[in-house]
Amino acid sequence: METVVSGIRSTGKLHLGNYYGAIQNFIKMQHDYNCYFFIADLHSLTTHPTPGDLHGNVKQVLIEYLAAGIDPEQATIYIQSDVPEVAELYLYLNMNAYLGELERATSFKDKVRANPDNVNAGLLTYPVLMAADILIHKATKVPVGKDQEQHLEMARTFGNRFNRLYNHEYFPEPYAFSYGNKLVKIPGLDGKGKMGKSEGEGNAVYLSDSPEVIRKKVMKAVTDGGPTAENQEKPAEIQNLFDLMQVVSTPDTLQHFDNLYNHCQIRYGDFKKQLAEDMIVATAPIRERISDIANDQPYLRQVARFGAAKARESASKTIREIREIIGFRNF
């Protein structure tokens, strides 16, 4: 079976963007591929979490991976920092990653603009660590969001560069992979872009949010004064809400509100109430499992240790072979 690798940063609770953009794919893939799904706690260090926050966030993502339907018997679920071989490969790949290409990464430039007082080396070399995550298991398929496609291209670059430098066709080329026709990008509620933890509490709907919280967040979502002409193009903040409805609602529901908009008859209050209720229904099974799994500490410990052992078995083999190729020898 081909190998699939993907992970989510442990910077807080998972939201609809994580679920529909990534985890839903994970659940489908785990039965058909050799899957490694990790919790990216090393990546989260770029934002300097406290020790308590770091552990709590890792635990939360682990709980929500399991609650969403990732099966540790089918896929390897592990915590990134439990596999030190990843950090070793990160070091080797950094030796062949160049300043200019790292500075040109769109995500790095975005982070610099957003956080000019925290431009650390980890942010600059984020694509290298991501490449190490993928290449350590010699993955060929990576279910990533649209915003990560450039990083995946860089992973191919680093792997191919290693192969050329050491004249050894070792790393395969990883490519973006989705069970759908295109990569899914879930918009946020603020009308500005994708759903994300860093965009503010009101931008994201979390899988663990109560029905009351979901209703409040959706009702506060950005809208405008309504359409002024039939069949006019929807502005970005309105299109975002329709995109969310396309994900969580039935096609008939979406068509109903689309027709109302096109005929200048839409009432945003009714539209948002329906969107909120459909989000509540969509997340209800996960929300119930989150509560059950969170209270089962022995099970969480078992899953983490089992996953770490399986991931290290794969990663240690890669590192042994990489050290040999580079020229490290024991005396």
Side-chain angles (χ1 to χ4, degrees):
M1 289 191 293
E2 287 186 275
T3 296
V4 171
V5 169
S6 195
I8 293 176
R9 290 176 72 219
S10 54
T11 53
K13 297 175 289 186
L14 302 184
H15 51 68
L16 291 181
N18 299 132
Y19 181 72
Y20 288 106
I23 294 175
Q24 212 175 44
N25 267 337
F26 294 179
I27 295 165
K28 296 175 185 175
M29 292 169 190
Q30 64 185 347
H31 302 290
D32 300 320
Y33 297 93
N34 178 33
C35 292
Y36 293 89
F37 300 134
F38 66 94
I39 300 166
D41 56 343
L42 295 178
H43 283 289
S44 75
L45 295 178
T46 59
T47 55
H48 306 146
T50 67
D53 287 343
L54 177 62
H55 180 73
N57 287 340
V58 168
K59 181 180 178 180
Q60 187 69 30
V61 176
L62 178 59
I63 290 167
E64 294 180 4
Y65 266 180
L66 297 168
I70 302 177
D71 183 352
E73 297 292 332
Q74 295 287 336
T76 302
I77 303 173
Y78 66 97
I79 298 161
Q80 189 184 28
S81 61
D82 282 346
V83 184
E85 291 84 358
V86 172
E88 185 172 347
L89 181 55
Y90 173 46
L91 185 150
Y92 299 150
L93 294 176
N94 263 326
M95 302 303 178
N96 306 316
Y98 299 108
L99 180 62
E101 64 189 345
L102 295 173
E103 288 180 328
R104 286 193 296 272
T106 301
S107 65
F108 175 68
K109 290 186 284 190
D110 290 344
K111 294 291 186 184
V112 170
R113 281 192 293 269
N115 302 284
D117 297 327
N118 183 30
V119 185
N120 57 66
L123 283 175
L124 180 68
T125 60
Y126 181 102
V128 187
L129 181 53
M130 179 173 164
D133 293 322
I134 297 164
L135 298 176
I136 196 74
H137 302 298
K138 302 177 77 172
T140 54
K141 294 185 181 298
V142 185
V144 293
K146 196 78 177 172
D147 58 318
Q148 293 288 326
E149 284 186 297
Q150 185 184 34
H151 285 166
L152 190 53
E153 183 180 346
M154 295 174 79
R156 289 193 292 273
T157 296
F158 300 144
N160 287 333
R161 187 175 292 155
F162 179 93
N163 293 347
R164 289 194 304 272
L165 182 64
Y166 294 104
N167 194 29
H168 199 295
E169 288 301 313
Y170 185 76
F171 290 121
E173 290 193 331
Y175 285 93
F177 178 52
S178 172
Y179 266 43
N181 294 324
K182 60 181 181 179
L183 298 177
V184 178
K185 182 177 179 180
I186 303 299
L189 295 174
D190 61 2
K192 296 177 183 177
K194 72 168 187 171
M195 187 172 288
K197 307 181 190 89
S198 60
E199 309 304 322
E201 182 68 21
N203 177 61
V205 173
Y206 296 104
L207 300 181
S208 59
D209 278 347
S210 68
E212 296 75 19
V213 169
I214 292 174
R215 291 186 187 105
K216 285 180 182 178
K217 286 182 176 180
V218 174
M219 294 310 291
K220 290 180 181 178
V222 176
T223 51
D224 60 9
T228 57
E230 290 195 355
N231 300 311
Q232 74 178 46
E233 184 178 350
K234 299 179 183 75
E237 64 270 19
I238 304 303
Q239 185 60 56
N240 279 357
L241 296 179
F242 271 91
D243 288 346
L244 283 168
M245 180 169 275
Q246 184 173 15
V247 171
V248 300
S249 306
T250 65
D252 288 347
T253 299
L254 177 66
Q255 186 64 52
H256 170 70
F257 284 102
D258 198 44
N259 288 338
L260 289 176
Y261 186 91
N262 289 334
H263 291 91
C264 301
Q265 296 173 348
I266 193 166
R267 292 161 57 96
Y268 285 137
D270 294 338
F271 172 63
K272 291 198 283 188
K273 284 177 184 175
Q274 182 66 54
L275 178 59
E277 295 309 311
D278 290 344
M279 285 181 175
I280 291 166
V281 170
T283 55
I286 300 172
R287 190 162 47 249
E288 291 167 9
R289 289 195 293 270
I290 286 172
S291 179
D292 292 339
I293 294 170
N295 295 318
D296 194 346
Q297 186 63 36
Y299 176 61
L300 291 172
R301 186 181 302 113
Q302 176 189 340
V303 169
R305 290 179 178 177
F306 181 60
K310 287 174 67 179
R312 289 204 69 184
E313 184 179 356
S314 166
S316 61
K317 179 177 183 294
T318 299
I319 287 298
R320 283 196 305 271
E321 293 169 350
I322 285 295
R323 290 175 65 88
E324 181 76 19
I325 290 168
I326 292 174
F328 293 113
R329 301 284 190 277
N330 291 329
F331 286 92

